[in-house]
Amino acid sequence: MLVTTTESVEGKKIVEYMGICSGEAIVGANIFKDMFASIRDVVGGRSGTYEKILHDAKNMAITEMAEQADKWGANAIVGVDIDYEVLGKENGMLMVVANGTAVKLG
């Protein structure tokens, strides 16, 4: 499944628009408290733990979106947008949402 943030794919023609597909990942943020309590993995102002959580959540959302598009018979997703949000009491959850347009390329 080709997944791109662009509205088209160079050298390919969109022959059918299948619809808007999306994927969501919500992960517990208790690790955020732990991370801030022990800043031992911060190197050069970056936190490896936090970055891994964001990366994993983004991949989960994109995978779920691609699975939905695949069920519709799409072979690509264009115009992908990824949003991040902190949710819940005391900002205890991280939500990542990926949206795009499922298409069939010819």
Side-chain angles (χ1 to χ4, degrees):
M1 176 75 59
L2 176 66
V3 177
T4 181
T5 58
T6 60
E7 299 299 321
S8 61
V9 177
E10 188 174 343
K12 300 284 185 177
K13 181 177 179 179
I14 295 174
V15 295
E16 186 176 355
Y17 288 88
M18 314 296 280
I20 297 170
C21 55
S22 62
E24 301 84 21
I26 300 175
V27 294
N30 287 338
I31 194 153
F32 297 143
K33 289 181 183 178
D34 296 340
M35 181 182 60
F36 290 122
S38 63
I39 309 196
R40 63 179 172 251
D41 75 336
V42 174
V43 177
R46 296 177 63 168
S47 169
T49 302
Y50 188 54
E51 288 176 357
K52 181 171 178 5
I53 293 167
L54 287 172
H55 183 267
D56 291 349
K58 178 188 75 168
N59 285 341
M60 283 187 266
I62 291 171
T63 298
E64 185 177 298
M65 177 183 64
E67 288 171 354
Q68 182 181 45
D70 186 57
K71 286 179 186 174
W72 295 347
N75 60 5
I77 305 170
V78 297
V80 173
D81 177 60
I82 301 171
D83 294 307
Y84 300 86
E85 189 70 37
V86 179
L87 306 170
K89 185 178 179 182
E90 299 179 16
N91 296 326
M93 304 293 282
L94 171 68
M95 176 177 70
V96 180
V97 179
N99 294 296
T101 303
V103 298
K104 197 172 282 190
L105 298 174

